[in-house]
């Protein structure tokens, strides 16, 4: 979760290839790409992909974006493919699983710190602050001797939970933190991502973003990036989560 995949006409770029060895960006080039449609009764789908598609949609025809390499005998060979569900959702299989992908989006230029107040649900992990998730014991077991930075942060512990933001407190689950104000600034998105060590970046296109630091009485800030009136990105532990009203 929280990883980025960039699809081009002749390339696929991924922010992670396989845990724990390949944690950097990788760009794979192909000869061509096209979109094809298959029936769910097709034998190839029954063997390889139908179970995955049925988890997301009840459809009789499945559309694929497929990437093709030209083989030495000049025939086309499908190297990689993505299931197209609709205009904003695709399914892609990598890193040992099949993942629902949503596109990056633009922030509403009229959004402000006033839009933070309300009751929110933690919808999904937007990005990691560090490069990957993995406990220290897990890393030592799976990758002994490697120089890797571990964290016991688990995104699934937060998904679906509630966050309430009001004028004088922020309540995350059962923990309420008293607040003393909000510091607001506009800054370059890439500069902010580097400053906060956000590995995959935030899932927004804007070059400039609004950053809201909710000042707490305990001396720590709760950092938020409002996207629109109904969505914002909030830093919780070592993750950046998309919250929805």
């Amino acid at each position: 979760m929280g990883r980025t995949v960039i699809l081009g006409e002749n390339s696929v770029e991924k922010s992670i290839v396989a845990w724990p060895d390949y944690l950097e960006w990788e760009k794979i080039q192909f000869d061509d790409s096209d979109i094809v449609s298959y029936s769910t009764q097709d034998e190839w789908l029954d063997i390889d992909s139908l179970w995955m598609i049925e988890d997301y949609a009840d459809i009789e025809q499945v559309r694929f974006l497929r990437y093709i390499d030209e083989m030495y005998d000049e025939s086309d060979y499908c190297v990689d493919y993505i299931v197209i569900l609709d205009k904003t959702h695709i399914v892609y299989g990598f890193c040992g699983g099949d993942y629902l992908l949503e596109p990056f989006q633009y922030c509403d230029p009229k959004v402000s710190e006033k839009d933070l107040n309300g009751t929110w649900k933690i919808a999904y992990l937007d990005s990691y602050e560090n490069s990957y998730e993995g406990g220290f014991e897990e890393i030592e077991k799976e990758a002994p001797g490697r120089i890797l930075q571990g964290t016991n942060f688990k995104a699934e512990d937060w998904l679906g939970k509630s966050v309430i933001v009001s004028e004088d407190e922020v309540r995350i689950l059962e923990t309420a933190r008293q607040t003393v104000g909000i510091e607001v600034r506009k800054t370059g998105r890439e500069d902010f991502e580097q400053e906060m060590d956000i590995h995959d970046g935030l899932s927004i296109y804007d070059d400039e973003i609004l950053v809201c630091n909710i000042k707490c009485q305990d001396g720590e800030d709760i950092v938020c990036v409002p996207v629109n009136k109904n969505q914002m990105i909030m830093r919780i532990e070592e993750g950046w989560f998309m919250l929805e009203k």
Side-chain angles (χ1 to χ4, degrees), residues 5-12 30 32-38 44 62-68 78-85 90-92:
V5 177
I6 301 174
L7 303 180
E9 185 175 352
N10 299 95
S11 65
V12 174
F30 305 100
D32 199 4
S33 66
D34 61 10
I35 295 178
V36 294
S37 179
Y38 290 100
W44 175 75
V62 184
R63 295 171 68 232
F64 291 90
L65 166 62
R66 65 179 182 180
Y67 288 92
I68 299 170
C78 177
V79 182
D80 206 354
Y81 65 88
I82 294 97
V83 180
I84 302 171
L85 295 181
I90 60 176
V91 179
Y92 186 45

Side-chain angles (χ1 to χ4, degrees), residues 168-231:
D168 54 4
E169 74 172 18
V170 174
R171 182 178 293 272
I172 303 176
L173 277 69
E174 300 301 320
T175 301
R177 298 176 64 183
Q178 301 302 308
T179 61
V180 294
I182 301 179
E183 181 183 277
V184 179
R185 63 187 171 110
K186 284 195 173 183
T187 186
R189 175 181 51 78
E190 292 185 357
D191 293 338
F192 177 76
E193 291 167 349
Q194 291 179 7
E195 172 192 344
M196 303 303 293
D197 193 26
I198 303 175
H199 180 257
D200 283 46
L202 303 177
S203 61
I204 47 183
Y205 288 118
D206 304 74
D207 294 328
E208 186 178 70
I209 58 175
L210 182 69
V211 177
C212 300
N213 289 355
I214 302 177
K215 316 296 287 188
C216 298
Q217 288 184 359
D218 59 15
E220 296 185 3
D221 294 354
I222 298 174
V223 185
C224 305
V225 177
V227 178
N228 52 54
K229 292 181 180 297
N230 296 308
Q231 289 180 302

Side-chain angles (χ1 to χ4, degrees), residues 127-144:
S127 191
Y128 287 99
E129 182 172 301
N130 296 305
S131 61
Y132 61 92
E133 175 183 1
F136 294 105
E137 294 180 359
E138 180 185 7
I139 291 171
E140 183 61 29
K141 178 182 177 181
E142 300 292 338

Side-chain angles (χ1 to χ4, degrees), residues 115-132:
D115 297 312
L116 299 181
N117 290 341
T119 300
W120 303 80
K121 182 178 77 171
I122 302 175
Y124 56 86
L125 180 69
D126 189 82
S127 191
Y128 287 99
E129 182 172 301
N130 296 305
S131 61
Y132 61 92

